[in-house]
Structures are given as C-alpha cells and as structure tokens.
Amino acid sequence: MPIQEAKVIWRNGELVPWAEATTHVMTHGLHYGTGVFEGMRAYDTSHAGSIVFRNREHFERLRFSARVYGINLAYEVDDLMAATKETLRANGLKSAYIRPLAFLGYGEMGPSSTNCETDVIIAAFPWGAYLGEDGLKNGIDVCVSSWRRSAPGTIPAGVKAAGNYLSSRLISVEAKSRGFAEGIGLSHDGYVSEGAGENLFLIRNGRIYTPPGAASILMGITRDTAMTLARKLGYEVIEQPIAREMLYGADEIFLTGTAAEVTPVRSVDRLNVGRPGDNPVTRAIQDAFFGLFTGETEDEWGWLDPVQG
Ligand code: PMP
C-alpha cells in the first residue's frame, strides 16, 4: 500500500512541506543503518478527542535507543511529545500513524564517525489496520520463520534501530512468499521470540504466556499495554521462555504492536490455533484495548495524551 502523504513533516524543530523532507545520498544512516525510530498512533477517541497513545513511553524508548548507539539527541522527551502533537495539528490529522526517526546525517563516512549531525524527523500520516481489518476480526495465518532473530550480544533486539529491520524484512518477506500474513522469529537458541513487527502472546488453560526480554524481543509498548489490561481483567500473565511446540498446543495466540494493535492468530504453520473462532481471552484483551479509545476502558494510567492543549 503506498504511503498516504500528509502536508508537513517536523524536521529539527521546523515544519517542512512533505515533498521537501529529503536527505543526501551520503547520509550515514543510509549506509550503516544508524537510525533509531518509533512507531506510534494517534486515535480519534469518542470521549477525549484526538489523542497520542503512550506518547511519553515511545520517546523514552527513542532516547534509550539513541543512547545505545551514541546518537546525540538534542531534544528531550517533552520536546518530542509536543512536536508530535504540533505535527498532527499542522496536518489536520485526528488519527494517524506517527513515525519519529533520529538518524546520523551527512558529514563523515565510517561506522564509528562522530562528525555526523543527528537529523530528527516526525512524520504522521493516515494508516489503517497493519494486518488488515479482517485480520483484527478473524485472525491471521502465520508461520515460524526459517530466520532466527539476532542473538544476545550481537545487534540488540531490545533497541528499535533501523538496522534491526533487516531481520524483520527477511522474516516477513519469507512469510508472505509462502502465503502467510506474518512470520514468527525464533531466538538464536530456538525459543519463540516475536513476529517481524509484533510481540507474541499465547493462552493455555486460562493463563497468558509471553516471551521474556531475554528472548531477543523488542519490549513493546503494546505488549506492556496488553499485559497491564490482562492483569486488570484478572488474568495471570507469565513471562517465560516458550518452546516452539507450545505454539501448536495453544488455546489462543495473539500478536501486539502499535501497527498490529491486538491481532488474533488463527493458525500457525497451517495448524489451527485452539478451536476456530473461539478466543475469549484474546477478545477480552482486544475489547479492553480498543475500549481505551471509546471510553469503555478507563485510562487509569494516563496513556492518552490529548493533541489539543
Ligand atoms: N517487535 C518488533 C520487532 C517491532 O517492530 C514492534 C513494533 N514497534 C513490536 C515488537 C511492538 O512494539 P510496540 O508495541 O511498542 O509497537
């Protein structure tokens, strides 16, 4: 699906026309993957107007990612939160996918260069359900990828850096070429890790399981949201290493991510998950999640950041 262009992009403190937000071909980040980014969403809620979901947590993660790679960020979390809201207002967008990106710019070649300015942009544009409306409702078909996620001590999976998405590309391109909506990566030692752009949860006998931070995952903000909502609903949520075969014996599986939101998984490697169409725990968490944007779920945590004011 082609990008749906908006009017302006925030770039280093200024709003520039969408078409003019370009960069030089010798940009460091293009050659060495030295960019860190976020994927966020604004929702047009029925009770609180347009809001940015978990604005603060996304920029805290961006600053963490930048710190790991020695990418200087001239903006504090609060500056970036305000810039995001400014970008939405300037584009007249009430709901949007938001893509902040900080990358090493033009200046010097070589992976360890310290003479590249950091370019920071925030783009916002309309984007619907990443894995499809049908996927949100009826679930998606996934496969276990032949590609492993990066091992601990190599490229850190817990950092949201541009270069990490080479792994995601291998996994999702392979999955699509085999007729699946998404691929699940295993960790270097063969445990379940995560989807190409989503965290994974499975339900067995009423308990909810999800891989721990050590399983080469990104600590997803939607993962945290789903865990918090599930516990609030009274479910036990257990972070533990998950053997591949647990995928084939699960009662329910769902994926979480800013783009994917809360998407049920209908089959893994062509084996149905649980009983088709029967996924009460996933539905309860999905309803609680979307209920945040209708007011049916009370936002006890201050996750909704109003765009106006
Ligand atoms: N894992 C990967 C590899 C991702 O790209 C994403 C999307 N950012 C997630 C998990 C989910 O993270 P979040 O809920 O913060 O969007």
Side-chain angles (χ1 to χ4, degrees):
M1 213 200 323
I3 262 189
Q4 231 181 299
E5 293 180 8
K7 290 184 217 137
V8 290
I9 289 179
W10 185 94
R11 179 172 194 159
N12 303 324
E14 282 168 39
L15 292 169
V16 298
W18 182 280
E20 288 170 27
T22 55
T23 194
H24 197 275
V25 292
M26 297 313 283
T27 293
H28 198 277
L30 262 177
H31 295 254
Y32 304 114
T34 45
V36 292
F37 68 98
E38 279 302 316
M40 314 168 49
R41 272 188 194 267
Y43 288 90
D44 189 11
T45 70
S46 19
H47 62 303
S50 171
I51 61 95
V52 180
F53 188 59
R54 305 198 70 171
N55 202 0
R56 178 169 302 280
E57 290 87 340
H58 279 284
F59 285 113
E60 282 171 351
R61 187 170 68 185
L62 185 79
R63 285 194 62 92
F64 161 69
S65 299
R67 179 186 171 87
V68 173
Y69 282 107
I71 295 174
N72 272 334
L73 256 188
Y75 303 95
E76 299 297 330
V77 168
D78 286 292
D79 303 329
L80 296 163
M81 287 169 66
T84 296
K85 296 194 271 188
E86 187 189 348
T87 308
L88 290 166
R89 287 194 296 265
N91 283 300
L93 287 167
K94 290 196 176 327
S95 70
Y97 183 78
I98 304 159
R99 171 50 58 83
L101 167 70
F103 59 96
L104 290 185
Y106 179 89
E108 187 181 42
M109 296 313 269
S112 64
S113 89
T114 49
N115 290 314
C116 295
E117 291 294 315
T118 306
D119 263 323
V120 188
I121 65 104
I122 301 173
F125 51 92
W127 207 16
Y130 173 59
L131 298 169
E133 284 297 335
D134 181 68
L136 273 181
K137 197 156 162 265
N138 299 316
I140 57 165
D141 302 310
V142 307
C143 62
V144 171
S145 180
S146 68
W147 292 99
R148 297 274 165 109
R149 300 294 287 176
S150 54
T154 62
I155 293 172
V159 170
K160 196 166 171 66
N164 290 36
Y165 287 80
L166 291 173
S167 159
S168 296
R169 181 167 171 85
L170 291 172
I171 291 172
S172 64
V173 168
E174 180 193 61
K176 282 174 187 146
S177 77
R178 292 171 54 199
F180 296 96
E182 186 57 299
I184 306 299
L186 301 181
S187 59
H188 74 289
D189 51 358
Y191 290 100
V192 175
S193 174
E194 61 180 351
E198 309 84 16
N199 292 114
L200 181 142
F201 289 81
L202 69 81
I203 293 113
R204 178 85 183 147
N205 296 330
R207 291 199 186 90
I208 304 176
Y209 299 87
T210 196
S216 294
I217 64 166
L218 182 72
M219 299 296 267
I221 289 164
T222 323
R223 174 182 182 271
D224 179 71
T225 304
M227 288 168 73
T228 305
L229 293 173
R231 286 182 176 135
K232 179 87 191 162
L233 290 167
Y235 293 107
E236 192 181 343
V237 185
I238 304 155
E239 292 176 79
Q240 64 156 64
I242 293 178
R244 176 174 178 168
E245 60 272 24
M246 280 181 79
L247 296 174
Y248 308 123
D251 298 326
E252 301 177 39
I253 299 178
F254 65 89
L255 303 179
T256 63
T258 297
E261 298 169 309
V262 178
T263 297
V265 172
R266 181 168 62 183
S267 70
V268 182
D269 294 333
R270 307 266 177 242
L271 292 173
N272 283 337
V273 175
R275 284 195 305 263
D278 185 20
N279 47 1
V281 181
T282 304
R283 290 294 167 214
I285 294 166
Q286 207 182 35
D287 288 349
F289 177 77
F290 287 112
L292 286 162
F293 314 120
T294 59
E296 271 160 68
T297 304
E298 196 196 332
D299 175 23
E300 295 174 25
W301 306 274
W303 288 338
L304 311 190
D305 187 10
V307 172
Q308 298 297 337

